[in-house]
Amino acid sequence: MPIRVQLDRVLFERRMSLTELADRVGVTIANLSILKTGKARAVRFTTLAALCRELDCQPGDLLTYEAGPSEAPDEAGDS
């Protein structure tokens, strides 16, 4: 998947633990861990908004797009 989650970097920059963020956002540590490790298949806009609010950042600070050479056109939505 060409979408990368940069939650680790933002948490480090904010000197915040995953546990503290989970408490502030109201999301389980397990779900944040899935997001942090890049195993999440989707994220709700309400969750993304809460993360941005608590981390004082923009969605682009948390999510990046990195196209790879092996990316097939149908994976990119070009079909």
Side-chain angles (χ1 to χ4, degrees):
M1 165 115 23
I3 301 296
R4 302 283 179 241
V5 179
Q6 305 293 321
L7 186 55
D8 264 348
R9 180 184 55 79
V10 177
L11 282 170
F12 178 77
E13 290 171 357
R14 303 300 190 274
R15 294 181 171 85
M16 186 183 298
S17 71
L18 196 63
T19 302
E20 181 181 351
L21 182 62
D23 289 343
R24 288 182 175 199
V25 174
V27 175
T28 66
I29 296 171
N31 284 339
L32 281 183
S33 181
I34 289 169
L35 181 63
K36 184 180 82 153
T37 59
K39 295 179 182 176
R41 301 289 291 162
V43 62
R44 291 182 180 174
F45 280 172
T46 54
T47 301
L48 184 58
L51 291 170
C52 289
R53 180 190 69 234
E54 294 303 325
L55 293 169
D56 189 28
C57 67
Q58 294 295 312
D61 297 328
L62 295 173
L63 304 173
T64 59
Y65 176 77
E66 298 174 3
S70 64
E71 187 177 334
D74 59 317
E75 290 178 351
D78 294 337
S79 57

